Amino acid sequence: MFSLVFVFVFLVITGGLLSIASVQRMAALREQWRIQAFHIAEAGLNYYRWHLAHEPEDFVNDTGEHAYTDPYAGEIGVFSIEVIPPQIGSSIVTIRSTGWSHQHPNVKKIIEARYGIRSLTDFAFITNSNVWFGQDEEVRGEIHSNGGIRMDGQGDSLMTSAKLTYICGTEHGCDNEEKPGIWGTGEKPELWDFPVDDFDFGAVALDLQTMKTEAKASGFYIGDSGAEGYRLELLNTGKFNLYKVTRLQNPVWGYDGTDWVYTSHSIRSTSAIREYQNVPLPANGLMFIEDELWVDGTTKGKLTVVAARLPDDLTPDASLFINGNTTYPAKDGSSTLGLIAQGDILIPLYSPDKLEIDAALLAQKGHVFRYLYPGPPWGWNSPPYSTYAVRSKIETYGSVISNGIWTWSWVDSEEGPVISGYQTSETSYDPHLTFGPPPFFPTTGEYTFISWEEKPPN
């Protein structure tokens, strides 16, 4: 009896141990199958990254199921790819890859990754020329110049120049002297880096004809006004009003950075275009105006506005003017505005004393600028200087991309007061624009990794 009990207990324990071993073995095998499925799904992500590197705007081909081949064992599994292309006002593509093996097709792994192309709007400021930030100017965000930088203001991020040394001219308070690529009395010189590679302004050379075609197809397009140009008033309801500019203020002398010109950039009168009052913003977020353009108001939604005349080489370049405060309802990324000028983006003489611009500004051939306007009738009064052309403060939230020389203000000497333009300026980059630029706004480089997440099987 004792032996029988002993044998029975032994069999029960042995059976239990064998059951535990069997369960553990199955668990190990299932984990092995899951790992294998995971690697197959990961291979699908890598495969589609390769596809985007060669066809960055093709989100249809190479999706669906693909065989996964082991170099030693041959075809052992399958990955299936689903792609969510970038939405309007975004450069982010979402790739979902599901992987499984032929041996265990019910064990699946799903990986979802997001990739985006960095927008030019990731910089607070980019210029193709020399630049001077005065002592009352503050920049929040990265700065790059293909020329030299005189930094007497404040910056909180990386500042780069393509020059080891450059010739600083009289327009920047120098006497045509050789200076380091970045120099000045500004704070945080440890953030200055020069020389670095040139920024390819060819990347900024937009295909305006393609944008015009897109605007005609599913956006908003209007040709020559037959007058001075158009005024676009953006409404905080996600709509807009369009007017013809029928008359400008009397012309005055102004210095455009190269020459003295006798002209006017300020509106005196407009007439409403009846069919373009309280109109919703276009579905694809693109407006193309083939004339001079004045812009102001509040942008609700994602929008890019282009002022250009085509053919590009047969007509004078169109400019865009900031007619007044141009803002967002909230700085949370839900609204974005891109203002693209074939020529210049200019702030007129009769601009607000305190001006706010929430937008990415891009002057393709010209510059983002405010002319030097002397006091009336010509020249300045002796100190204190005339306040005819002097304004208090300008704030930009977004990005400034200027092919030519940029400035909002002019001083009478290296340490002198502002005699024309804005006494104080603040430039801040909009972090929401890095991978969420305004529609059709240029991006640079290749797709870069943003996030990765494992999803539960359906």
Side-chain angles (χ1 to χ4, degrees):
M1 183 63 70
F2 178 78
S3 297
L4 289 173
V5 171
F6 178 79
V7 169
F8 176 76
V9 172
F10 176 78
L11 292 175
V12 169
I13 293 173
T14 302
L17 291 173
L18 290 174
S19 296
I20 293 172
S22 177
V23 169
Q24 288 179 335
R25 178 177 178 276
M26 287 302 300
L29 288 173
R30 289 184 179 276
E31 182 62 24
Q32 180 180 333
W33 300 336
R34 284 192 288 266
I35 291 172
Q36 187 180 47
F38 180 88
H39 288 314
I40 295 172
E42 194 173 36
L45 287 183
N46 293 332
Y47 174 79
Y48 208 78
R49 283 183 61 195
W50 172 87
H51 169 88
L52 289 178
H54 293 81
E55 299 289 343
E57 296 182 3
D58 177 14
F59 308 107
V60 176
N61 293 315
D62 279 344
T63 57
E65 294 186 2
H66 299 262
Y68 176 81
T69 303
D70 184 275
Y72 300 103
E75 183 180 325
I76 63 171
V78 174
F79 56 78
S80 178
I81 297 175
E82 302 171 65
V83 176
I84 302 174
Q87 304 300 302
I88 292 176
S90 173
S91 68
I92 298 174
V93 57
T94 302
I95 306 169
R96 173 176 286 199
S97 177
T98 303
W100 65 90
S101 67
H102 288 317
Q103 188 175 4
H104 304 285
N106 294 326
V107 179
K108 297 182 178 181
K109 282 290 184 178
I110 302 174
I111 304 174
E112 189 172 281
R114 298 163 72 239
Y115 297 87
I117 300 179
R118 189 185 188 196
S119 169
L120 296 183
T121 53
D122 193 36
F123 291 83
F125 190 90
I126 306 175
T127 182
N128 202 26
S129 65
N130 301 335
V131 63
W132 180 12
F133 295 97
Q135 59 185 359
D136 293 320
E137 293 175 324
E138 181 179 358
V139 183
R140 302 187 187 98
E142 289 189 39
I143 300 169
H144 175 80
S145 172
N146 281 351
I149 301 175
R150 177 175 179 176
M151 184 58 176
D152 294 331
Q154 300 177 49
D156 68 353
S157 297
L158 185 65
M159 178 179 297
T160 57
S161 166
K163 302 292 186 183
L164 177 62
T165 62
Y166 77 107
I167 302 300
C168 180
T170 55
E171 74 279 4
H172 287 162
C174 303
D175 189 18
N176 295 316
E177 309 161 56
E178 185 177 34
K179 294 289 187 180
I182 306 176
W183 66 286
T185 61
E187 300 177 356
K188 300 182 180 179
E190 64 272 15
L191 296 176
W192 302 353
D193 186 13
F194 64 96
V196 299
D197 291 339
D198 271 359
F199 178 83
D200 181 11
F201 260 77
V204 183
L206 306 173
D207 187 344
L208 296 176
Q209 183 60 56
T210 299
M211 299 183 80
K212 178 179 175 179
T213 302
E214 291 286 346
K216 282 185 169 182
S218 55
F220 176 88
Y221 168 82
I222 193 167
D224 189 278
S225 65
E228 300 290 347
Y230 297 98
R231 177 197 167 205
L232 173 64
E233 180 187 18
L234 299 168
L235 307 176
N236 62 7
T237 56
K239 298 182 179 181
F240 70 91
N241 295 329
L242 193 67
Y243 307 83
K244 275 189 181 181
V245 177
T246 55
R247 190 178 177 189
L248 298 177
Q249 298 286 353
N250 292 332
V252 297
W253 284 102
Y255 183 66
D256 67 1
T258 304
D259 299 305
W260 287 96
V261 293
Y262 190 62
T263 187
S264 176
H265 299 147
S266 300
I267 295 175
R268 173 169 285 188
S269 62
T270 62
S271 63
I273 303 175
R274 188 170 301 174
E275 62 268 34
Y276 296 132
Q277 299 297 299
N278 204 35
V279 177
L281 296 180
N284 70 349
L286 179 62
M287 301 182 73
F288 194 102
I289 287 81
E290 205 155 6
D291 206 338
E292 306 286 88
L293 179 65
W294 284 258
V295 178
D296 59 82
T298 300
T299 308
K300 184 178 181 181
K302 298 181 181 295
L303 179 67
T304 292
V305 181
V306 182
R309 293 188 183 96
L310 300 177
D312 201 34
D313 55 346
L314 299 178
T315 57
D317 296 335
S319 291
L320 188 151
F321 306 93
I322 307 298
N323 192 54
N325 289 319
T326 307
T327 59
Y328 300 145
K331 294 180 173 69
D332 58 4
S334 61
S335 297
T336 59
L337 175 63
L339 298 178
I340 299 174
Q342 180 186 32
D344 297 325
I345 294 180
L346 301 174
I347 295 177
L349 169 60
Y350 301 109
S351 58
D353 186 58
K354 294 182 179 179
L355 179 61
E356 181 178 355
I357 306 171
D358 297 343
L361 309 176
L362 192 161
Q364 183 180 16
K365 296 182 182 179
H367 51 185
V368 182
F369 203 73
R370 190 177 193 267
Y371 281 17
L372 166 60
Y373 294 107
W378 169 245
W380 296 280
N381 300 328
S382 58
Y385 293 98
S386 168
T387 59
Y388 168 78
V390 177
R391 304 292 181 266
S392 296
K393 184 177 183 180
I394 181 171
E395 295 180 69
T396 57
Y397 178 74
S399 186
V400 175
I401 305 169
S402 181
N403 197 355
I405 190 171
W406 159 89
T407 191
W408 301 135
S409 57
W410 300 82
V411 296
D412 70 332
S413 64
E414 189 170 337
E415 300 295 333
V418 171
I419 56 175
S420 181
Y422 285 87
Q423 295 172 312
T424 303
S425 73
E426 291 183 6
T427 303
S428 302
Y429 91 107
D430 180 354
H432 303 98
L433 297 183
T434 300
F435 295 107
F440 298 91
F441 214 82
T443 54
T444 181
E446 300 178 349
Y447 279 97
T448 58
F449 173 78
I450 299 174
S451 66
W452 178 97
E453 184 180 7
E454 183 179 346
K455 296 284 188 178
N458 294 330

Short mmCIF file of all heavy atoms in Angstrom, two decimals, residues 345-396:
data_model
loop_
_atom_site.label_atom_id
_atom_site.label_comp_id
_atom_site.label_asym_id
_atom_site.label_seq_id
_atom_site.Cartn_x
_atom_site.Cartn_y
_atom_site.Cartn_z
N ILE A 345 8.28 90.92 -49.78
CA ILE A 345 7.23 91.06 -48.77
C ILE A 345 7.58 92.33 -47.99
O ILE A 345 8.63 92.40 -47.35
CB ILE A 345 7.17 89.84 -47.83
CG1 ILE A 345 6.72 88.61 -48.62
CG2 ILE A 345 6.22 90.11 -46.67
CD1 ILE A 345 6.62 87.35 -47.78
N LEU A 346 6.70 93.31 -48.04
CA LEU A 346 7.01 94.64 -47.52
C LEU A 346 5.99 95.09 -46.49
O LEU A 346 4.80 94.73 -46.56
CB LEU A 346 7.05 95.66 -48.66
CG LEU A 346 8.06 95.39 -49.79
CD1 LEU A 346 7.88 96.39 -50.91
CD2 LEU A 346 9.48 95.43 -49.24
N ILE A 347 6.45 95.91 -45.55
CA ILE A 347 5.57 96.60 -44.60
C ILE A 347 5.49 98.05 -45.05
O ILE A 347 6.51 98.73 -45.16
CB ILE A 347 6.10 96.50 -43.17
CG1 ILE A 347 6.09 95.03 -42.72
CG2 ILE A 347 5.28 97.36 -42.23
CD1 ILE A 347 6.65 94.82 -41.35
N PRO A 348 4.29 98.55 -45.37
CA PRO A 348 4.16 99.90 -45.91
C PRO A 348 4.53 100.98 -44.89
O PRO A 348 4.69 100.72 -43.69
CB PRO A 348 2.68 100.00 -46.28
CG PRO A 348 2.19 98.59 -46.34
CD PRO A 348 3.01 97.83 -45.34
N LEU A 349 4.65 102.20 -45.40
CA LEU A 349 4.95 103.34 -44.54
C LEU A 349 3.89 103.51 -43.45
O LEU A 349 4.21 103.64 -42.26
CB LEU A 349 5.05 104.61 -45.38
CG LEU A 349 5.09 105.94 -44.61
CD1 LEU A 349 6.29 106.00 -43.68
CD2 LEU A 349 5.10 107.12 -45.58
N TYR A 350 2.61 103.49 -43.84
CA TYR A 350 1.54 103.75 -42.87
C TYR A 350 1.09 102.44 -42.21
O TYR A 350 -0.06 102.01 -42.32
CB TYR A 350 0.37 104.45 -43.55
CG TYR A 350 0.78 105.76 -44.18
CD1 TYR A 350 0.86 105.90 -45.56
CD2 TYR A 350 1.13 106.86 -43.39
CE1 TYR A 350 1.25 107.11 -46.14
CE2 TYR A 350 1.52 108.07 -43.96
CZ TYR A 350 1.59 108.17 -45.34
OH TYR A 350 1.99 109.37 -45.90
N SER A 351 2.01 101.81 -41.52
CA SER A 351 1.73 100.56 -40.82
C SER A 351 1.36 100.85 -39.37
O SER A 351 1.66 101.93 -38.85
CB SER A 351 2.95 99.64 -40.88
OG SER A 351 4.08 100.27 -40.30
N PRO A 352 0.72 99.88 -38.67
CA PRO A 352 0.35 100.11 -37.27
C PRO A 352 1.56 100.37 -36.38
O PRO A 352 2.66 99.87 -36.65
CB PRO A 352 -0.36 98.80 -36.88
CG PRO A 352 -0.80 98.20 -38.17
CD PRO A 352 0.23 98.59 -39.17
N ASP A 353 1.34 101.11 -35.31
CA ASP A 353 2.42 101.40 -34.37
C ASP A 353 2.90 100.12 -33.70
O ASP A 353 4.10 99.95 -33.46
CB ASP A 353 1.93 102.40 -33.31
CG ASP A 353 3.06 102.84 -32.39
OD1 ASP A 353 4.06 103.37 -32.90
OD2 ASP A 353 2.93 102.64 -31.16
N LYS A 354 1.98 99.22 -33.41
CA LYS A 354 2.31 97.89 -32.89
C LYS A 354 1.74 96.87 -33.86
O LYS A 354 0.54 96.80 -34.05
CB LYS A 354 1.75 97.68 -31.48
CG LYS A 354 2.38 98.60 -30.44
CD LYS A 354 1.84 98.33 -29.05
CE LYS A 354 2.51 99.24 -28.02
NZ LYS A 354 1.98 99.02 -26.65
N LEU A 355 2.63 96.12 -34.47
CA LEU A 355 2.24 95.21 -35.55
C LEU A 355 2.56 93.77 -35.16
O LEU A 355 3.66 93.47 -34.71
CB LEU A 355 2.99 95.58 -36.83
CG LEU A 355 2.72 94.71 -38.06
CD1 LEU A 355 1.26 94.76 -38.47
CD2 LEU A 355 3.61 95.16 -39.22
N GLU A 356 1.58 92.88 -35.33
CA GLU A 356 1.76 91.45 -35.07
C GLU A 356 1.53 90.68 -36.35
O GLU A 356 0.52 90.86 -37.03
CB GLU A 356 0.81 90.96 -33.98
CG GLU A 356 0.99 89.48 -33.64
CD GLU A 356 0.09 89.00 -32.53
OE1 GLU A 356 -0.63 89.83 -31.93
OE2 GLU A 356 0.08 87.78 -32.26
N ILE A 357 2.47 89.78 -36.67
CA ILE A 357 2.36 88.94 -37.87
C ILE A 357 2.54 87.49 -37.46
O ILE A 357 3.61 87.09 -37.01
CB ILE A 357 3.44 89.31 -38.91
CG1 ILE A 357 3.40 90.80 -39.25
CG2 ILE A 357 3.25 88.48 -40.18
CD1 ILE A 357 4.58 91.26 -40.10
N ASP A 358 1.48 86.70 -37.57
CA ASP A 358 1.54 85.27 -37.32
C ASP A 358 1.52 84.57 -38.68
O ASP A 358 0.46 84.37 -39.28
CB ASP A 358 0.34 84.81 -36.49
CG ASP A 358 0.30 85.44 -35.11
OD1 ASP A 358 1.33 85.97 -34.68
OD2 ASP A 358 -0.78 85.44 -34.48
N ALA A 359 2.69 84.23 -39.19
CA ALA A 359 2.76 83.63 -40.52
C ALA A 359 4.18 83.21 -40.82
O ALA A 359 5.13 83.68 -40.19
CB ALA A 359 2.28 84.63 -41.59
N ALA A 360 4.30 82.34 -41.81
CA ALA A 360 5.60 82.03 -42.41
C ALA A 360 5.74 82.90 -43.64
O ALA A 360 4.92 82.83 -44.56
CB ALA A 360 5.68 80.55 -42.79
N LEU A 361 6.76 83.77 -43.65
CA LEU A 361 6.95 84.74 -44.73
C LEU A 361 8.08 84.27 -45.63
O LEU A 361 9.18 83.98 -45.15
CB LEU A 361 7.29 86.12 -44.15
CG LEU A 361 6.36 86.66 -43.06
CD1 LEU A 361 6.89 87.98 -42.54
CD2 LEU A 361 4.95 86.82 -43.59
N LEU A 362 7.84 84.23 -46.94
CA LEU A 362 8.86 83.78 -47.87
C LEU A 362 8.90 84.73 -49.08
O LEU A 362 7.93 84.83 -49.82
CB LEU A 362 8.57 82.35 -48.34
CG LEU A 362 9.68 81.61 -49.08
CD1 LEU A 362 9.42 80.10 -49.06
CD2 LEU A 362 9.84 82.05 -50.53
N ALA A 363 10.02 85.44 -49.23
CA ALA A 363 10.25 86.30 -50.39
C ALA A 363 11.17 85.54 -51.34
O ALA A 363 12.37 85.42 -51.08
CB ALA A 363 10.87 87.62 -49.97
N GLN A 364 10.62 85.02 -52.44
CA GLN A 364 11.36 84.09 -53.29
C GLN A 364 12.55 84.75 -53.98
O GLN A 364 13.65 84.23 -53.96
CB GLN A 364 10.42 83.50 -54.34
CG GLN A 364 11.12 82.46 -55.22
CD GLN A 364 10.20 81.88 -56.26
OE1 GLN A 364 9.15 82.43 -56.53
NE2 GLN A 364 10.58 80.77 -56.84
N LYS A 365 12.32 85.91 -54.59
CA LYS A 365 13.40 86.60 -55.28
C LYS A 365 13.84 87.87 -54.56
O LYS A 365 14.97 88.32 -54.74
CB LYS A 365 12.97 86.98 -56.70
CG LYS A 365 12.69 85.82 -57.62
CD LYS A 365 12.33 86.36 -59.00
CE LYS A 365 11.98 85.27 -59.97
NZ LYS A 365 11.61 85.82 -61.30
N GLY A 366 12.95 88.45 -53.79
CA GLY A 366 13.25 89.72 -53.14
C GLY A 366 13.59 89.57 -51.68
O GLY A 366 14.24 88.61 -51.27
N HIS A 367 13.09 90.53 -50.89
CA HIS A 367 13.42 90.48 -49.46
C HIS A 367 12.21 90.83 -48.61
O HIS A 367 11.25 91.44 -49.07
CB HIS A 367 14.61 91.39 -49.14
CG HIS A 367 14.50 92.79 -49.65
ND1 HIS A 367 15.53 93.70 -49.54
CD2 HIS A 367 13.50 93.45 -50.28
CE1 HIS A 367 15.16 94.85 -50.09
NE2 HIS A 367 13.94 94.73 -50.53
N VAL A 368 12.26 90.38 -47.36
CA VAL A 368 11.27 90.74 -46.34
C VAL A 368 11.81 92.01 -45.70
O VAL A 368 12.89 92.00 -45.11
CB VAL A 368 11.10 89.60 -45.32
CG1 VAL A 368 10.04 89.97 -44.30
CG2 VAL A 368 10.74 88.30 -46.03
N PHE A 369 11.02 93.11 -45.75
CA PHE A 369 11.68 94.41 -45.62
C PHE A 369 10.69 95.52 -45.27
O PHE A 369 9.50 95.42 -45.53
CB PHE A 369 12.30 94.72 -47.00
CG PHE A 369 13.44 95.69 -47.02
CD1 PHE A 369 14.68 95.35 -46.55
CD2 PHE A 369 13.26 96.95 -47.56
CE1 PHE A 369 15.75 96.24 -46.61
CE2 PHE A 369 14.31 97.85 -47.64
CZ PHE A 369 15.56 97.50 -47.16
N ARG A 370 11.22 96.58 -44.67
CA ARG A 370 10.52 97.86 -44.59
C ARG A 370 11.49 98.93 -45.08
O ARG A 370 12.61 99.04 -44.59
CB ARG A 370 10.04 98.18 -43.18
CG ARG A 370 9.09 99.39 -43.13
CD ARG A 370 8.59 99.60 -41.71
NE ARG A 370 7.46 100.53 -41.65
CZ ARG A 370 7.56 101.84 -41.45
NH1 ARG A 370 8.75 102.40 -41.30
NH2 ARG A 370 6.47 102.59 -41.39
N TYR A 371 11.04 99.73 -46.05
CA TYR A 371 11.90 100.75 -46.61
C TYR A 371 12.36 101.75 -45.55
O TYR A 371 11.69 101.94 -44.53
CB TYR A 371 11.15 101.53 -47.69
CG TYR A 371 11.05 100.85 -49.04
CD1 TYR A 371 11.27 99.48 -49.19
CD2 TYR A 371 10.71 101.58 -50.18
CE1 TYR A 371 11.16 98.87 -50.43
CE2 TYR A 371 10.60 100.98 -51.42
CZ TYR A 371 10.82 99.62 -51.54
OH TYR A 371 10.72 99.02 -52.76
N LEU A 372 13.49 102.37 -45.83
CA LEU A 372 13.93 103.52 -45.05
C LEU A 372 13.15 104.74 -45.56
O LEU A 372 13.29 105.14 -46.72
CB LEU A 372 15.43 103.74 -45.23
CG LEU A 372 16.00 105.08 -44.77
CD1 LEU A 372 15.76 105.30 -43.28
CD2 LEU A 372 17.48 105.18 -45.10
N TYR A 373 12.30 105.29 -44.69
CA TYR A 373 11.51 106.46 -45.05
C TYR A 373 12.01 107.66 -44.24
O TYR A 373 11.91 107.67 -43.02
CB TYR A 373 10.04 106.25 -44.73
CG TYR A 373 9.38 105.17 -45.56
CD1 TYR A 373 9.06 103.94 -45.01
CD2 TYR A 373 9.07 105.40 -46.91
CE1 TYR A 373 8.44 102.96 -45.77
CE2 TYR A 373 8.45 104.41 -47.67
CZ TYR A 373 8.14 103.20 -47.10
OH TYR A 373 7.53 102.22 -47.84
N PRO A 374 12.56 108.68 -44.90
CA PRO A 374 12.99 109.87 -44.17
C PRO A 374 11.79 110.70 -43.76
O PRO A 374 10.69 110.56 -44.31
CB PRO A 374 13.85 110.61 -45.18
CG PRO A 374 13.31 110.20 -46.50
CD PRO A 374 12.84 108.78 -46.34
N GLY A 375 11.98 111.59 -42.79
CA GLY A 375 10.89 112.42 -42.31
C GLY A 375 10.48 113.46 -43.33
O GLY A 375 11.23 113.81 -44.23
N PRO A 376 9.24 113.98 -43.25
CA PRO A 376 8.75 114.96 -44.21
C PRO A 376 9.42 116.31 -44.00
O PRO A 376 9.82 116.63 -42.88
CB PRO A 376 7.26 115.03 -43.87
CG PRO A 376 7.18 114.68 -42.43
CD PRO A 376 8.28 113.70 -42.20
N PRO A 377 9.55 117.15 -45.03
CA PRO A 377 9.21 116.79 -46.41
C PRO A 377 10.31 115.98 -47.07
O PRO A 377 10.10 115.28 -48.05
CB PRO A 377 9.06 118.15 -47.08
CG PRO A 377 10.00 119.02 -46.32
CD PRO A 377 9.96 118.55 -44.89
N TRP A 378 11.53 116.11 -46.56
CA TRP A 378 12.63 115.33 -47.10
C TRP A 378 13.79 115.46 -46.13
O TRP A 378 14.18 116.55 -45.74
CB TRP A 378 13.03 115.82 -48.48
CG TRP A 378 14.34 115.23 -48.98
CD1 TRP A 378 15.48 115.88 -49.22
CD2 TRP A 378 14.59 113.86 -49.29
NE1 TRP A 378 16.45 115.03 -49.65
CE2 TRP A 378 15.92 113.76 -49.72
CE3 TRP A 378 13.81 112.70 -49.24
CZ2 TRP A 378 16.52 112.57 -50.09
CZ3 TRP A 378 14.41 111.51 -49.63
CH2 TRP A 378 15.72 111.45 -50.05
N GLY A 379 14.31 114.34 -45.70
CA GLY A 379 15.37 114.37 -44.70
C GLY A 379 14.79 114.34 -43.30
O GLY A 379 13.58 114.34 -43.10
N TRP A 380 15.66 114.33 -42.29
CA TRP A 380 15.23 114.26 -40.90
C TRP A 380 15.43 115.60 -40.21
O TRP A 380 16.29 116.41 -40.61
CB TRP A 380 16.05 113.19 -40.15
CG TRP A 380 15.83 111.82 -40.66
CD1 TRP A 380 14.80 110.99 -40.38
CD2 TRP A 380 16.68 111.11 -41.57
NE1 TRP A 380 14.93 109.80 -41.03
CE2 TRP A 380 16.09 109.83 -41.78
CE3 TRP A 380 17.87 111.39 -42.22
CZ2 TRP A 380 16.63 108.87 -42.60
CZ3 TRP A 380 18.42 110.42 -43.05
CH2 TRP A 380 17.80 109.19 -43.23
N ASN A 381 14.63 115.81 -39.21
CA ASN A 381 14.87 116.97 -38.37
C ASN A 381 16.12 116.69 -37.54
O ASN A 381 16.53 115.56 -37.36
CB ASN A 381 13.68 117.21 -37.43
CG ASN A 381 12.40 117.46 -38.20
OD1 ASN A 381 12.45 118.03 -39.29
ND2 ASN A 381 11.28 117.05 -37.64
N SER A 382 16.70 117.72 -37.01
CA SER A 382 17.79 117.49 -36.08
C SER A 382 17.23 116.85 -34.83
O SER A 382 16.03 116.96 -34.57
CB SER A 382 18.46 118.83 -35.73
OG SER A 382 17.51 119.71 -35.19
N PRO A 383 18.04 116.16 -34.05
CA PRO A 383 17.53 115.43 -32.88
C PRO A 383 16.67 116.32 -31.99
O PRO A 383 17.02 117.49 -31.81
CB PRO A 383 18.79 114.96 -32.18
CG PRO A 383 19.83 114.91 -33.27
CD PRO A 383 19.48 116.03 -34.21
N PRO A 384 15.56 115.81 -31.42
CA PRO A 384 15.04 114.45 -31.62
C PRO A 384 14.48 114.27 -33.03
O PRO A 384 13.89 115.17 -33.57
CB PRO A 384 13.94 114.33 -30.56
CG PRO A 384 13.46 115.74 -30.37
CD PRO A 384 14.68 116.61 -30.53
N TYR A 385 14.66 113.08 -33.59
CA TYR A 385 14.27 112.82 -34.96
C TYR A 385 12.75 112.79 -35.11
O TYR A 385 12.00 112.52 -34.17
CB TYR A 385 14.87 111.49 -35.42
CG TYR A 385 16.36 111.53 -35.55
CD1 TYR A 385 17.17 111.04 -34.54
CD2 TYR A 385 16.95 112.08 -36.68
CE1 TYR A 385 18.55 111.10 -34.65
CE2 TYR A 385 18.33 112.13 -36.79
CZ TYR A 385 19.12 111.64 -35.78
OH TYR A 385 20.48 111.69 -35.89
N SER A 386 12.30 113.04 -36.32
CA SER A 386 10.88 113.01 -36.61
C SER A 386 10.32 111.61 -36.37
O SER A 386 10.99 110.61 -36.65
CB SER A 386 10.65 113.42 -38.06
OG SER A 386 9.32 113.14 -38.45
N THR A 387 9.10 111.53 -35.88
CA THR A 387 8.45 110.23 -35.66
C THR A 387 7.59 109.84 -36.86
O THR A 387 6.82 108.88 -36.79
CB THR A 387 7.57 110.28 -34.40
OG1 THR A 387 6.58 111.31 -34.56
CG2 THR A 387 8.41 110.54 -33.17
N TYR A 388 7.72 110.55 -37.96
CA TYR A 388 6.93 110.30 -39.17
C TYR A 388 6.97 108.84 -39.59
O TYR A 388 5.95 108.26 -39.95
CB TYR A 388 7.48 111.22 -40.27
CG TYR A 388 7.01 110.95 -41.67
CD1 TYR A 388 5.74 111.36 -42.09
CD2 TYR A 388 7.83 110.31 -42.59
CE1 TYR A 388 5.33 111.15 -43.39
CE2 TYR A 388 7.42 110.08 -43.89
CZ TYR A 388 6.17 110.50 -44.29
OH TYR A 388 5.76 110.29 -45.57
N ALA A 389 8.13 108.23 -39.57
CA ALA A 389 8.28 106.86 -40.07
C ALA A 389 8.67 105.88 -38.97
O ALA A 389 9.02 104.75 -39.25
CB ALA A 389 9.33 106.83 -41.18
N VAL A 390 8.64 106.29 -37.71
CA VAL A 390 9.06 105.44 -36.59
C VAL A 390 7.84 104.79 -35.95
O VAL A 390 6.83 105.45 -35.70
CB VAL A 390 9.86 106.25 -35.55
CG1 VAL A 390 10.21 105.37 -34.35
CG2 VAL A 390 11.11 106.83 -36.18
N ARG A 391 7.93 103.50 -35.68
CA ARG A 391 6.87 102.75 -35.01
C ARG A 391 7.45 102.05 -33.79
O ARG A 391 8.67 101.90 -33.65
CB ARG A 391 6.26 101.72 -35.96
CG ARG A 391 5.73 102.31 -37.26
CD ARG A 391 4.51 103.19 -37.05
NE ARG A 391 4.01 103.70 -38.32
CZ ARG A 391 4.36 104.88 -38.83
NH1 ARG A 391 5.22 105.66 -38.18
NH2 ARG A 391 3.85 105.28 -39.98
N SER A 392 6.57 101.59 -32.89
CA SER A 392 7.02 101.08 -31.59
C SER A 392 7.56 99.66 -31.65
O SER A 392 8.71 99.40 -31.32
CB SER A 392 5.88 101.15 -30.57
OG SER A 392 5.50 102.48 -30.33
N LYS A 393 6.70 98.70 -32.08
CA LYS A 393 7.08 97.29 -31.91
C LYS A 393 6.47 96.43 -32.99
O LYS A 393 5.31 96.61 -33.38
CB LYS A 393 6.64 96.79 -30.53
CG LYS A 393 7.07 95.37 -30.20
CD LYS A 393 6.65 94.98 -28.78
CE LYS A 393 7.14 93.58 -28.42
NZ LYS A 393 6.76 93.18 -27.05
N ILE A 394 7.25 95.44 -33.45
CA ILE A 394 6.76 94.43 -34.39
C ILE A 394 7.06 93.05 -33.81
O ILE A 394 8.16 92.80 -33.32
CB ILE A 394 7.39 94.61 -35.78
CG1 ILE A 394 6.84 93.56 -36.75
CG2 ILE A 394 8.91 94.55 -35.73
CD1 ILE A 394 7.24 93.78 -38.19
N GLU A 395 6.07 92.17 -33.86
CA GLU A 395 6.22 90.78 -33.39
C GLU A 395 5.87 89.85 -34.54
O GLU A 395 4.80 89.97 -35.14
CB GLU A 395 5.30 90.49 -32.22
CG GLU A 395 5.59 91.27 -30.95
CD GLU A 395 4.63 90.90 -29.84
OE1 GLU A 395 4.70 89.76 -29.34
OE2 GLU A 395 3.78 91.74 -29.48
N THR A 396 6.77 88.92 -34.86
CA THR A 396 6.48 87.90 -35.86
C THR A 396 6.53 86.54 -35.19
O THR A 396 7.45 86.24 -34.43
CB THR A 396 7.47 87.95 -37.03
OG1 THR A 396 8.80 87.81 -36.53
CG2 THR A 396 7.36 89.26 -37.78
#
